[in-house]
Amino acid sequence: MNGPDWSDYQAFLAIARSGQLARAASTAGVNPTTMGRRLRRLEAKLGATLFEQTRNGQELTEAGESLLVAVEAMAAAAADIPETSGEGDGLSGTLRISVSEGFGSWFLARHVPRFREANPQLTLDLVANSGFLSPSRREADIAVMLSRPKVGPLTARKLSDYALRLYASPDYLAGREMPERPSDLVSGHVLVGYIPDLLYAPELRYLDEIHPGLAATIRSSSITAQRRLIANGAGIGVLPCFMAEGDERLVSVLPERRITRSFWIVTHQDTRQLARVRAFNQWLHESVRTYRHQLLPGT
């Protein structure tokens, strides 16, 4: 009997990373029937059950856990082949970067084209939404997160601090008294913020740091939507300075009440030495140093 095809191993890896057969099929661009057939073929050739079906999807068996280590090493080696196959052509392959919505949409979106121009053979996937893909599950090559992960086979390095302040629009403030102290926000003002039970990171709880008990009455899971609401006169809200400074539609409120958070750059231990991962890490650290004034105004 011939050994398993590499496509079968790729199917196994996709299911292991996503935890769901249907999600893995969607990511791979095949239908779930094809993905399931590849998995059954691999299990038959190996003589082992690799997943258990649970309410939440597929969970690795002990045999699956052992195979995952070997297949991830194979995938990492395969991913590195095009990077070293030619001289002077720059990086190639695909680099998937998971970032918070604000950092991805407002900071990286401004600067990442320079990295891509230097590496025209490289495909960049910029996943900027509410939540993070997991480097430990190989859902992303790099993640820029709001805290340092405490578990997993990961390498984490602090990228930068960044500042946040309260902002409002001139239209909203027209006819209202400008708040002079945090307690002025308790009544007489509309606050814009996150939906508490949809927060994907505790670092996004801001209003209690401004004044205990403050609560938003116009809420969104999207920081981009919050920014637009504030700019359109809906109320006062906390925004990262890199999203708000320089916009004439936004005015700083209680500017002395500055909140500081941090970005951490996270990679899997097994893939952090890939050329494209190393190159992007270096480029991102250099870009953050160059544009530090956008992240931390006044420094």
Side-chain angles (χ1 to χ4, degrees):
M1 178 183 293
N2 294 330
D5 294 332
W6 174 233
S7 62
D8 296 341
Y9 284 120
Q10 288 177 306
F12 162 77
L13 186 57
I15 298 169
R17 288 175 174 175
S18 68
Q20 292 185 351
L21 190 147
R23 186 186 302 166
S26 177
T27 300
V30 301
N31 61 57
T33 301
T34 299
M35 186 66 70
R37 183 171 62 250
R38 290 175 179 173
L39 174 60
R40 290 191 297 273
R41 184 169 60 195
L42 179 62
E43 290 180 324
K45 289 188 176 182
L46 296 179
T49 299
L50 302 175
F51 294 97
E52 291 182 358
Q53 180 69 47
T54 70
R55 287 191 307 170
N56 296 322
Q58 279 67 39
E59 290 189 4
L60 287 163
T61 62
E62 185 174 347
E65 292 280 3
S66 297
L67 181 63
L68 181 61
V69 175
V71 174
E72 285 189 326
M74 293 163 60
D80 210 20
I81 290 173
E83 298 181 336
T84 58
S85 61
E87 296 293 335
D89 295 331
L91 303 173
S92 60
T94 299
L95 183 67
R96 178 167 291 181
I97 308 149
S98 176
V99 293
S100 63
E101 180 191 5
F103 187 70
S105 301
W106 292 89
F107 187 86
L108 275 187
R110 294 181 187 179
H111 306 301
V112 81
R114 293 186 293 107
F115 180 78
R116 175 60 178 71
E117 287 169 6
N119 300 280
Q121 302 303 313
L122 185 66
T123 298
L124 284 177
D125 290 347
L126 184 61
V127 184
N129 54 19
S130 297
F132 298 101
L133 300 183
S134 171
S136 65
R137 294 178 64 92
R138 303 293 182 81
E139 295 172 336
D141 299 299
I142 297 170
V144 180
M145 307 183 76
L146 301 180
S147 62
R148 183 173 194 161
K150 296 180 174 61
V151 297
L154 302 169
T155 298
R157 179 182 174 190
K158 189 173 181 179
L159 179 62
S160 177
D161 290 331
Y162 67 100
L164 307 97
R165 286 193 174 108
L166 286 164
Y167 292 91
S169 73
D171 287 344
Y172 172 83
L173 293 172
R176 293 182 172 91
E177 291 189 9
M178 172 71 84
E180 297 182 356
R181 57 187 66 84
S183 58
D184 292 342
L185 299 172
V186 174
S187 60
H189 285 285
V190 179
L191 298 180
V192 177
Y194 282 102
I195 304 170
D197 58 341
L198 295 182
L199 285 174
Y200 62 89
E203 291 78 16
L204 299 177
R205 299 185 186 278
Y206 305 131
L207 291 179
D208 267 342
E209 292 186 33
I210 302 295
H211 187 75
L214 286 182
T217 53
I218 299 180
R219 310 186 299 190
S220 173
S221 60
S222 165
I223 190 66
T224 302
Q226 291 177 44
R227 183 190 186 281
R228 182 163 294 181
L229 285 164
I230 295 166
N232 287 339
I236 300 174
V238 176
L239 293 172
C241 294
F242 61 79
M243 293 181 65
E245 293 295 313
D247 189 334
E248 62 184 15
R249 298 174 302 166
L250 294 168
V251 176
S252 181
V253 176
L254 300 174
E256 72 282 359
R257 304 294 292 189
R258 189 168 97 160
I259 296 171
T260 301
R261 291 291 190 267
S262 301
F263 287 127
W264 292 81
I265 189 163
V266 181
T267 56
H268 195 283
Q269 290 177 355
D270 292 343
T271 57
R272 64 190 176 90
Q273 293 302 326
L274 291 177
R276 59 182 179 271
V277 174
R278 292 199 316 269
F280 187 84
N281 275 342
Q282 180 179 350
W283 172 84
L284 185 54
H285 279 283
E286 291 173 353
S287 295
V288 164
R289 285 194 294 269
T290 300
Y291 298 100
R292 179 178 173 83
H293 63 281
Q294 294 179 358
L295 297 170
L296 289 165
T299 60

